[in-house]
Amino acid sequence: MDQMIPLSIPNFEGNEETYVLDAVREGWVSTGGAYIAEFENRLAGFLHTPAAAACQSGTSAIHLALLECGVRPGDSVIVPTLTFIAAVNPVRYQYANPIFMDCDESLCMDPAKLKRFCEEECEQRDGKLYHKKTQSEIKAVVVVHIFGNMADMERIMDVADEYGLRVIEDATEALGTYYLEGRYKGKYAGTIGDYGAYSFNGNKIITTGGGGAVVARDGAHLEHMKYLSTQAKDDPHFYVHHEVGYNYRMTNVQAAIGVAQLEKLPEFIERKQRNYALYRELLCDMELGRMFDFRAGTSSNKWFYAFELSGGRISAREAIKALAREKIQTRAIWELIHEQTPYREDTAYQIEKAAAYQKRIVNLPCSTQLTQRDICRVAEQMKRLNESVLKAGSMEQENRSDR
Ligand SMILES: Cc1ncc(COP(=O)(O)O)c(C=O)c1O
């Protein structure tokens, strides 16, 4: 009998057990210990950036970046509507207002709309940007690199520079994606804007169970975020604090897993890329739809494999159910955040493409353990789906011409 093919599961083929046992045996299980620094140094080395701060989650990493941008109650932050809600919630933790932006064909933030919004809906005073309607100061933009695809950072950075916006890249899904050409040639997702945030929760390309990291263009800001993440301790031995801190630091046990995972990261990326290429080869020329592409001029980590259904012949929900019957776990893309209960009253700017893509995407299994046989099994079922959809289409045609 065929086994279930899961959507995305962690891969612990490396030194995870050894390093975790070491951390436990040494008694360093909390927010001190050598694995944390080792994890930070290796991550920074991989990203070709001077330093990184390891934290409890991707969400806490984004929150620290917003704090560092000086986002305060009543300020505004531009965010995507098509993403996981963790990229937006920290705006609310600051009692600030998200302004929701549409995506382009990459599923990431649309730079043309971002520019139009700044041009038409905002005004600049004393070097600051204000939303005309609410008179709220817009401090930053959170750009999410969706499914491993690089957002159009050249154009987004141009808009941010023109309007004095801080840029936080949520590079959670794009760890290892970088530019092959252009102004940012050799630059990794997360290291282009002012801040970059990463998550290492269970379904990411590497995991620490739960965990995250933040990087910054400016070393002083990075140090300050590290300080905030450890309860803003001004003295390691005496309890002196000058700021409100957070318990956001990664633990040594998480970092021990993380070091082992980082050792495997280049191999995981290669596997993801190879498996994506095989899916593409097997799923070409289908009326049902197509494998979603990644931005030209970049090397993507190809974290998630989105299949875009076309022609409205079958809904994402129906496709997911049909595949589940064949023991293949797939998943829809997120519901739009500006339509979720906590955010319905917030500004959403000309959301069109995100609404269309939201209905059409099915994410296919993408774990690094996938075998060729697994991928062929998924492709076989997709082809069956394609045939049944075509058959239903031609029957409908016949019925119409009979009438
Ligand atoms: C784009 C994005 N941002 C943030 C997060 C949140 O990270 P965490 O679960 O580590 O808080 C996730 C996934 O969980 C994500 O996909």
Side-chain angles (χ1 to χ4, degrees):
M1 260 240 299
D2 279 333
Q3 297 270 318
M4 168 68 117
I5 303 178
L7 179 76
S8 175
I9 53 170
N11 184 332
F12 298 128
E13 292 170 1
N15 289 317
E16 290 80 9
E17 264 184 60
T18 314
Y19 296 166
V20 167
L21 267 181
D22 181 47
V24 172
R25 284 186 181 139
E26 293 287 322
W28 289 96
V29 295
S30 192
T31 51
Y35 282 109
I36 303 173
E38 176 78 11
F39 180 72
E40 288 175 336
N41 292 338
R42 282 187 185 226
L43 178 65
F46 175 82
L47 293 170
H48 298 91
T49 196
C55 9
Q56 274 297 328
S57 63
T59 312
S60 59
I62 296 165
H63 191 196
L64 288 169
L66 288 167
L67 286 162
E68 213 52 27
C69 290
V71 173
R72 297 202 178 80
D75 288 341
S76 290
V77 177
I78 300 172
V79 295
T81 187
L82 186 67
T83 187
F84 185 53
I85 202 160
V88 175
N89 283 336
V91 174
R92 226 9 149 237
Y93 302 167
Q94 288 305 103
Y95 296 93
N97 314 304
I99 295 173
F100 292 98
M101 198 51 61
D102 204 5
C103 66
D104 64 10
E105 291 72 20
S106 69
L107 301 180
C108 307
M109 189 175 285
D110 183 338
K113 278 196 178 159
L114 176 66
K115 186 172 166 65
R116 203 185 313 146
F117 175 79
C118 293
E119 232 164 54
E120 294 175 3
E121 307 289 326
C122 303
E123 58 196 6
Q124 282 178 292
R125 290 198 306 270
D126 310 323
K128 293 175 178 171
L129 189 68
Y130 294 89
H131 186 203
K132 278 189 213 162
K133 197 170 95 192
T134 60
Q135 284 305 306
S136 154
E137 185 185 342
I138 306 177
K139 289 260 174 77
V141 51
V142 178
V143 178
V144 184
H145 301 291
I146 303 289
F147 297 155
N149 206 3
M150 183 82 83
D152 188 345
M153 289 308 290
E154 291 200 4
R155 290 169 70 202
I156 289 173
M157 292 305 288
D158 284 345
V159 180
D161 285 347
E162 187 177 348
Y163 292 95
L165 293 170
R166 303 276 121 232
V167 176
I168 299 170
E169 294 178 74
D170 180 350
T172 285
E173 303 183 357
L175 175 63
T177 296
Y178 64 94
Y179 271 103
L180 292 167
E181 57 191 48
R183 194 200 304 168
Y184 297 123
K185 185 175 173 183
K187 284 288 225 177
Y188 280 72
T191 69
I192 297 167
D194 297 279
Y195 303 96
Y198 303 85
S199 160
F200 308 112
N201 75 14
N203 76 349
K204 298 301 173 289
I205 194 158
I206 62 164
T207 183
T208 56
V214 63
V215 299
R217 195 188 299 173
D218 179 321
H221 283 298
L222 188 76
E223 276 312 304
H224 189 242
M225 288 190 284
K226 215 183 249 188
Y227 164 79
L228 290 180
S229 76
T230 49
Q231 303 285 22
K233 281 188 206 124
D234 284 310
D235 185 292
H237 305 295
F238 297 95
Y239 298 96
V240 180
H241 309 267
H242 287 97
E243 285 188 63
V244 175
Y246 298 80
N247 184 9
Y248 278 176
R249 188 88 170 129
M250 182 180 272
T251 68
N252 203 45
V253 176
Q254 291 169 309
I257 302 175
V259 170
Q261 291 272 289
L262 276 175
E263 288 171 354
K264 300 287 281 187
L265 179 56
E267 185 186 329
F268 288 170
I269 293 174
E270 271 178 34
R271 289 193 203 181
K272 290 261 188 192
Q273 292 173 335
R274 211 181 316 128
N275 290 341
Y276 173 80
L278 182 56
Y279 266 123
R280 256 192 97 108
E281 190 188 315
L282 295 173
L283 297 179
C284 61
D285 293 331
M286 285 177 104
E287 290 76 6
L288 187 66
R290 59 165 192 126
M291 288 296 288
F292 220 87
D293 223 339
F294 293 87
R295 185 175 300 286
T298 67
S299 171
S300 163
N301 71 354
K302 302 205 162 65
W303 173 62
F304 244 50
Y305 306 147
F307 187 90
E308 184 188 358
L309 298 165
S310 57
R313 295 175 172 97
I314 183 170
S315 71
R317 202 175 279 259
E318 285 167 321
I320 290 165
K321 272 197 193 153
L323 291 163
R325 282 196 290 275
E326 302 302 327
K327 297 199 180 162
I328 295 167
Q329 190 184 34
T330 57
R331 205 194 262 172
I333 198 168
W334 315 276
E335 295 285 321
L336 301 184
I337 304 177
H338 76 280
E339 292 174 350
Q340 309 281 325
T341 308
Y343 297 111
R344 280 193 195 136
E345 304 299 317
D346 291 286
T347 302
Y349 182 68
Q350 299 179 0
I351 309 294
E352 291 147 340
K353 287 199 175 123
Y357 282 126
Q358 200 281 325
K359 295 191 185 78
R360 298 206 297 252
I361 302 280
V362 175
N363 284 304
L364 303 181
C366 64
S367 312
T368 48
Q369 297 92 329
L370 276 184
T371 61
Q372 267 201 11
R373 196 174 161 271
D374 291 333
I375 295 173
C376 291
R377 221 181 99 199
V378 177
E380 193 52 42
Q381 291 308 326
M382 293 293 282
K383 282 180 189 155
R384 287 207 181 148
L385 210 55
N386 192 47
E387 279 160 25
S388 65
V389 158
L390 279 180
K391 215 155 124 192
S394 53
M395 274 166 69
E396 202 180 285
Q397 277 284 338
E398 274 173 34
N399 287 344
R400 266 201 226 126
S401 46
D402 282 352
R403 266 187 247 143

